[in-house]
Amino acid sequence: MSEYVVELKNATKRFPGVVALKNMSLSVKPGEILGLIGENGAGKSTLIKVLTGVHQADEGQIFVDGVEQHFRDPNDSAAAGIACVYQELNIEKLLSITDNIFINKWIKGKTGLLDYPAMHKKAKEVMLSLGQDVDPTKPAGNFGMGVQQMIEIAKAVLINAKMIIMDEPTSSLGEKEVEQLMKTCRELRDRGIGIVFVSHKLEELFELCDRVTVIRDGEYIWTKNVSDTNNDDLIAGMVGRTLENQFPKEFGTKGECFLKVEHLEEGGVLHDVSFEAYGGQILGFAGLVGAGRTETMRAIFGADPIDGGKVYVHGKEIKIKTPSDAIKSGIAFLTEDRKGQGLVLAQSIRTNLILANLKGFSNGPFLNAKKILESGEKNIAALRIKTPSIDEIVGQLSGGNQQKVVIGKWVNTDADIYIFDEPTRGIDVGAKVEVYNVMNDLVKQGKCVIMISSEMPEILGMSDRVIVMRGGQIMADVDRDSVHFNQEDLMKAAWGGTLDD
């Protein structure tokens, strides 16, 4: 009997112009949680796809319980006991929980028709075993992201998976949902299931995992017991260098009030939201999931209609009814949903980088190809976008590199006010520093930066001032030199507490 439930040995995978994996190895023991970490573009996605049969390695071997396997497609991988819960959930929201769980695994009765009573009963049992007391006959889209993720895990449990890969499973979850997921992972481990837990959040690895594997530039670096490593060790392994300062805050000179919002109202969502944001500073917006931070910025940007309130840019009241109005007023908005709202995935990097400022890259009715190329190459170098060329299709890039393209697109507008909504979500620590340095550069140019973040260390590390929201209202406005500029007080405000003067 093999020590490992799944073992990948010396795998190499080539694509045109790119070696995505080179002599890659990975081993997972039954009943353990193995953390997998690496920078964006390090090869994590390709590694997952090789293990799940989406891609076939050009060289190397895969063993399940010590027996060599050859996966021609995902069905072969699933049959061998390997399942994956992808970051982008594969849920059919209009179908019931039962239908989602039993897709391609239907139970049929003696008549040959689907035995829904049996499937509903089994779906109920599986979801209960994952801590979810839900009605399996209801459409999956009626439930939040946490339940939908458990539906994906239930699919793996149903096929008696020996190993489950979880790809950035907490990236879209709230605090309570993350706690439930962690509990579920531990229960699955106790059942003898091996788990590969892919995350950019180092604290999650230390809380949950038994061992951690680090990969870099498509190659295996090392595997260690979590108890034998630390943050600096992991970072050095990922990026090949130490990051002495994870939050390289640089201070600009506080300038004029660039953006002033008065008594913003949006029915049932925002309530009397008023604040000011200044040039030469980063204004952080903190709060729990659903606090109204993104809704506030969407209202300011003209993406959602407002019921009342005023918006001033450089002291002049402006009427913003559409995002085009906002862009003309010098406002840039890097949205949280990069794939749905930030990028045209079927187009090239070259094209995406100029989408928010076509006029700036034109000579009359024609685009200036030379200017587009020079600017694009500069963006790729400055943001360290990992790509074979500027003409690579954006949908082929890793999530973190897609995020960098979105940032480059908005930097190219030369706006005065930059709104960054969760700018480092799904980005590794090395790439985060590059994003922070983009913010620093904007601040040093005297620009106004507004950053929404759910990561409190990021808020504290990069903000000059922090506004805390809860339930569509502002609960606190805290300067960096205030006694309340700490995690405990900001979280107190986020939960509805009042900060003493």
Side-chain angles (χ1 to χ4, degrees), residues 7-13 19-27 34 36-39 41-48 50-51 57 59-62 213-223:
E7 190 173 12
L8 178 72
K9 291 184 177 181
N10 305 317
T12 296
K13 178 62 182 176
V19 179
L21 297 178
K22 183 179 179 182
N23 296 323
M24 178 62 69
S25 296
L26 184 84
S27 56
L34 176 75
L36 176 62
I37 193 166
E39 286 193 279
K44 298 188 299 296
S45 295
T46 304
L47 172 57
I48 291 170
V50 167
L51 287 170
E59 301 168 17
Q61 299 168 290
I62 299 176
T213 291
V214 177
I215 66 175
R216 181 173 73 236
D217 296 330
E219 296 188 66
Y220 171 85
I221 301 302
W222 50 252
T223 298

Side-chain angles (χ1 to χ4, degrees), residues 316-344:
K316 180 181 178 181
E317 184 180 356
I318 58 172
K319 300 292 184 181
I320 299 177
K321 295 184 178 180
T322 67
S324 294
D325 294 336
I327 293 171
K328 290 174 184 176
S329 299
I331 302 175
F333 185 17
L334 187 148
T335 57
E336 179 181 12
D337 180 6
R338 60 175 172 258
K339 290 188 175 182
Q341 300 172 359
L343 295 167
V344 181

Side-chain angles (χ1 to χ4, degrees), residues 119-178:
M119 288 192 293
H120 287 320
K121 181 181 179 183
K122 184 64 177 177
K124 180 76 172 179
E125 292 173 356
V126 174
M127 292 299 287
L128 275 174
S129 75
L130 299 176
Q132 303 297 318
D133 187 4
V134 292
D135 183 350
T137 67
K138 300 294 184 183
N142 288 11
F143 301 90
M145 288 296 294
V147 173
Q148 290 183 29
Q149 196 164 60
M150 291 301 168
I151 294 172
E152 288 280 32
I153 296 173
K155 295 180 188 179
V157 172
L158 195 68
I159 66 168
N160 295 317
K162 299 174 182 178
M163 184 184 81
I164 303 174
I165 303 168
M166 296 191 182
D167 185 13
E168 295 286 351
T170 66
S171 61
S172 301
L173 301 184
E175 187 175 348
K176 290 185 178 179
E177 293 169 324
V178 171

Side-chain angles (χ1 to χ4, degrees), residues 346-467:
Q347 292 294 327
S348 67
I349 296 172
R350 183 198 299 259
T351 299
N352 273 274
L353 285 172
I354 66 170
L355 286 179
N357 188 22
L358 288 172
K359 187 176 180 180
F361 289 94
S362 301
N363 289 332
F366 303 105
L367 291 172
N368 186 328
K370 182 179 178 182
K371 186 175 182 180
I372 292 171
L373 178 61
E374 290 176 351
S375 175
E377 296 289 3
K378 182 179 178 182
N379 290 142
I380 288 171
L383 293 167
R384 291 182 65 202
I385 299 171
K386 294 183 179 179
T387 175
S389 78
I390 193 174
D391 292 312
E392 178 76 0
I393 300 301
V394 168
Q396 300 297 319
L397 301 177
S398 67
N401 284 301
Q402 289 178 1
Q403 184 79 323
K404 293 179 188 179
V405 174
V406 181
I407 293 170
K409 177 185 79 172
W410 286 113
V411 168
N412 283 338
T413 64
D414 194 29
D416 286 334
I417 301 162
Y418 288 85
I419 301 170
F420 289 80
D421 191 355
E422 302 286 3
T424 64
R425 173 168 288 173
I427 293 181
D428 60 79
V429 289
K432 283 182 178 182
V433 171
E434 293 153 18
V435 173
Y436 299 145
N437 284 330
V438 170
M439 293 184 184
N440 285 331
D441 289 341
L442 293 171
V443 165
K444 286 188 288 185
Q445 294 171 35
K447 308 288 189 180
C448 171
V449 176
I450 298 173
M451 177 183 69
I452 300 173
S453 177
S454 298
E455 296 188 23
M456 196 58 71
E458 182 171 79
I459 284 285
L460 293 169
M462 293 303 298
S463 303
D464 295 282
R465 198 171 110 242
V466 177
I467 286 175

